[in-house]
Amino acid sequence: ELKVEQNPLFLSMQEGKNYTIYCNYSTTSDRLYWYRQDPGKSLESLFVLLSNGAVKQEGRLMASLDTKARLSTLHITAAVHDLSATYFCAVVDSNYQLIWGAGTKLIIKP
Amino acid sequence: DVKVTQSSRYLVKRTGEKVFLECVQDMDHENMFWYRQDPGLGLRLIYFSYDVKMKEKGDIPEGYSVSREKKERFSLILESASTNQTSMYLCASSLLAGGYGYTFGSGTRLTVV
C-alpha cells in the first residue's frame, strides 16, 4: 500500500527566506503532483513530475523528483506573503488513484 | 473556464439525517471523484466513477454511497449522518485517470451535530 508522508505539516517563515517542503512516498510510482490550496478555496495544480531528476519551476516555486529516493521537494525561494497557502503532494498508485500527503500549511509573515 | 460546482458551501445536519452532496461539472469529463479532507490527513478518496451509472469504492467508502445518473452530476449520499462524518468534502473531475487534469470544486464543509 502506497503511503505518502509530507513534512513539515506547518511552517511559519519570514518574507525573503528560503525553505523546502519534503514529500516521501513508500512504493514505486511514475507520477507525482504538487497542489496548492488557499483558505476556503479549491485545490490548484502546480506541478506534475514524471521522471527521475525532473525539475519544474514557476516563479518562486521549484519542484523536483528523485524516484530512487522516493522523494520530492518543493523549494520556495525568497518567500512572499502571497505564497501563504497549504501545499499538498499527491502520488499516483498502481490503481491510478492519487494518494495524498497530509499537507503543509505555510504562513509567510511580512 | 472549466468548472466543478458543489451545490452547498456549508451544511449543518443532525445525526441520523440522510444527506445529499451534489457535484456538477461542465467539462464533459468521464471521471468524477469524491474526497474528504481532514486536518493532518490530507485528502482521502471515498468513491469514484469512470462512467455514467458506474461507481467504485475508494479508500473510505463506509457510511457513504454515490449516484451518477448523468455524466455531469455525481452525488455523494450519507445514508445516516454521524458526527465522525463532519469534514470538508471535495468533488473533482478529470478527462483522464491517474491524476491528469483533475479539477476540484470549492468544497462543502459539512457539520453533523
Side-chain angles (χ1 to χ4, degrees):
Chain A
E1 182 188 349
L2 175 62
K3 294 191 184 300
V4 179
E5 189 173 302
Q6 203 174 324
N7 65 82
L9 299 185
F10 179 80
L11 179 57
S12 178
M13 55 194 288
Q14 296 292 127
E15 277 193 327
K17 301 287 188 183
N18 304 333
Y19 212 81
T20 301
I21 300 169
Y22 298 89
C23 177
N24 289 91
Y25 53 99
S26 60
T27 62
T28 302
S29 175
D30 62 0
R31 215 173 307 151
L32 186 144
Y33 295 82
W34 284 97
Y35 280 83
R36 168 182 173 148
Q37 185 180 38
D38 292 295
K41 299 285 182 65
S42 185
L43 280 88
E44 172 192 356
S45 177
L46 294 174
F47 303 111
V48 54
L49 302 168
L50 300 176
S51 59
N52 189 43
V55 177
K56 294 275 184 78
Q57 182 164 6
E58 181 162 335
R60 300 173 188 274
L61 299 177
M62 183 174 73
S64 65
L65 179 63
D66 181 343
T67 58
K68 294 179 183 177
R70 297 185 192 137
L71 171 69
S72 179
T73 60
L74 180 67
H75 187 73
I76 303 145
T77 302
V80 294
H81 179 67
D82 286 352
L83 291 178
S84 296
T86 300
Y87 293 86
F88 292 92
C89 65
V91 182
V92 176
D93 72 4
S94 56
N95 295 316
Y96 293 98
Q97 295 302 330
L98 290 178
I99 306 299
W100 295 77
T104 297
K105 185 171 184 177
L106 176 63
I107 295 176
I108 299 168
K109 300 176 182 178
Chain B
D1 200 17
V2 296
K3 272 192 177 171
V4 176
T5 303
Q6 294 183 231
S7 56
S8 302
R9 192 77 180 92
Y10 298 95
L11 275 179
V12 180
K13 296 292 182 180
R14 294 193 180 278
T15 301
E17 275 194 79
K18 190 169 185 176
V19 181
F20 293 85
L21 303 183
E22 305 288 345
C23 176
V24 177
Q25 51 99 358
D26 65 0
M27 297 163 283
D28 203 33
H29 283 172
E30 304 289 341
N31 308 298
M32 296 188 76
F33 308 85
W34 275 107
Y35 291 90
R36 67 176 279 176
Q37 181 181 2
D38 299 289
L41 296 178
L43 279 70
R44 292 178 292 166
L45 182 63
I46 305 171
Y47 268 96
F48 61 99
S49 169
Y50 286 145
D51 201 352
V52 175
K53 296 191 185 294
M54 177 273 183
K55 59 187 178 184
E56 292 285 345
K57 292 180 180 179
D59 297 319
I60 52 164
E62 296 79 18
Y64 304 94
S65 63
V66 290
S67 172
R68 194 168 180 199
E69 296 295 319
K70 294 184 178 181
K71 190 176 185 179
E72 66 270 19
R73 185 180 296 271
F74 193 34
S75 302
L76 180 69
I77 303 156
L78 287 67
E79 296 290 341
S80 178
S82 64
T83 55
N84 63 12
Q85 292 178 309
T86 291
S87 186
M88 171 69 87
Y89 290 88
L90 291 170
C91 175
S93 74
S94 74
L95 188 59
L96 302 173
Y100 280 121
Y102 278 31
T103 301
F104 284 85
S106 297
T108 295
R109 184 165 293 282
L110 173 67
T111 302
V112 182
V113 298

